[in-house]
Amino acid sequence: MPPTSDEPVRGGVASPAPGSSPTGIAPSAPRSRTARSRRRRGGGWAPYGFLLPGFVVYAVFLLYPLGRAVQISLYDWDGLSLATFVGLANYADVVTDPALRDAFAHALVLIFFFSVLPLGIGLVLAALLTRARVRGMAFFRTVVFLPQVIAMVVVAVAWRQIYAPDGQLNTALRAVGLDALTRTWLGDYTLTLPAVGFIGTWVSTGLVTVLLMAGMARIPGELYEAATLDGAGPVRTFLSITVPSVRAEVVVALTLTIIAALKTFDLIYVTTSGGPGTSTTVPSYEVYRRAFELGEVGSAAAVAVVLTALIFLINVGVNRIGERER
């Protein structure tokens, strides 16, 4: 009778277990698997090799100049003579100098005109242009986006003429009998900053609208049909379906427009040059004025570094809030 699998064979030698080596030594891993693991370990650096050229360009044209700006901000230097190390004194001036504090406050006010107001207008315009079934929508989309393709210097020159004492705005007010509202719009200490900010609203609204329209075009029509069947009106549909569906586009729009508001220079330089007085000065204009007019290169570099940090922190906060709500 042949032995069973549990019985030893004759001679006292046990039969080898299934899958084991006849010699009793565990078989080695297949050579192909070992080769694949080696290739996997060696190929871990390949993605970094593809990223290296882009990182080199990024470091040369952005990180190095930023590092040099930080270095210059630690010195009292007029750009020509020998520099004197002053440590963090230039940064202390950013906090203690009333003119610089006002400049940063003006930049924060411009965020409302460049970002918040265009976002509200853009949401309504994008919803109308996306949902409306009217002929000529392509023309209206083009008109809305048109300010984005015009150079800011050209925009500033055109609006300076509109705001002039004998410009189109005052002429229109006189034509409808509102002579009491006419004024020197770019010479009024109270209204000059809102007047300049309104130009930013006019420019940014087109960009925000196009971004939001791209997001709204991806919303399934079945959602609107279901909301209509449930008795939801246009306002409820807009707030419950449209706005939540374009949160990602809202974050992108806020990021771009906040950056534009905080770093605006050409608009201020052409329209008001920071005036009247210092009522429209902004940090980017202060960087130019201190570096090229006052010869305070170190102070200008400190303002630029603080402005860069402020832009970074605000946009990080906006993106964090957007990710949390999603």
Side-chain angles (χ1 to χ4, degrees), residues 294-305:
L294 303 180
E296 300 175 0
V297 180
S299 177
V303 175
V305 171

Side-chain angles (χ1 to χ4, degrees), residues 103-126:
F104 279 94
H106 297 158
L108 295 178
V109 171
L110 290 181
I111 290 179
F112 171 79
F113 290 98
F114 276 74
S115 301
V116 180
L117 197 55
L119 180 61
I121 298 173
L123 280 169
V124 176
L125 278 179

Side-chain angles (χ1 to χ4, degrees), residues 243-286:
V243 175
S245 299
V246 294
R247 284 176 180 166
E249 286 75 16
V250 168
V251 171
V252 173
L254 286 176
T255 300
L256 296 177
T257 53
I258 287 174
I259 292 175
L262 292 177
K263 70 182 185 64
T264 183
F265 166 76
D266 41 9
L267 179 61
I268 297 295
Y269 181 80
V270 175
T271 55
T272 65
S273 295
T278 59
S279 59
T280 58
T281 55
V282 290
S284 56
Y285 182 78
E286 280 295 318

Side-chain angles (χ1 to χ4, degrees), residues 136-161:
M137 278 296 113
F139 171 76
F140 289 112
R141 292 189 185 99
T142 303
V143 171
V144 169
F145 189 71
L146 187 61
Q148 279 295 314
V149 301
I150 304 176
M152 184 59 76
V153 173
V154 178
V155 171
V157 171
W159 277 92
R160 188 176 63 182
Q161 295 178 354

Side-chain angles (χ1 to χ4, degrees), residues 125-302:
L125 278 179
L128 292 175
L129 294 175
T130 303
R131 300 289 298 165
R133 297 292 183 264
V134 183
R135 296 179 60 183
M137 278 296 113
F139 171 76
F140 289 112
R141 292 189 185 99
T142 303
V143 171
V144 169
F145 189 71
L146 187 61
Q148 279 295 314
V149 301
I150 304 176
M152 184 59 76
V153 173
V154 178
V155 171
V157 171
W159 277 92
R160 188 176 63 182
Q161 295 178 354
I162 293 173
Y163 282 141
D166 57 347
Q168 291 85 346
L169 179 57
N170 284 336
T171 301
L173 291 174
R174 295 188 187 99
V176 296
L178 298 176
D179 300 62
L181 297 180
T182 60
R183 64 195 66 237
T184 306
W185 296 97
L186 297 181
D188 190 298
Y189 280 86
T190 304
L191 295 178
T192 299
L193 185 61
V196 174
F198 182 77
I199 303 175
T201 302
W202 182 75
V203 173
S204 299
T205 299
L207 174 63
V208 174
T209 302
V210 171
L211 288 173
L212 296 176
M213 287 176 62
M216 293 178 187
R218 296 196 300 268
I219 302 176
E222 293 80 3
L223 294 178
Y224 293 105
E225 294 175 2
T228 303
L229 293 176
D230 290 340
V235 176
R236 180 65 181 273
T237 302
F238 175 76
L239 296 177
S240 301
I241 296 177
T242 304
V243 175
S245 299
V246 294
R247 284 176 180 166
E249 286 75 16
V250 168
V251 171
V252 173
L254 286 176
T255 300
L256 296 177
T257 53
I258 287 174
I259 292 175
L262 292 177
K263 70 182 185 64
T264 183
F265 166 76
D266 41 9
L267 179 61
I268 297 295
Y269 181 80
V270 175
T271 55
T272 65
S273 295
T278 59
S279 59
T280 58
T281 55
V282 290
S284 56
Y285 182 78
E286 280 295 318
V287 172
Y288 163 80
R289 189 176 72 89
R290 289 171 181 266
F292 298 102
E293 293 182 0
L294 303 180
E296 300 175 0
V297 180
S299 177

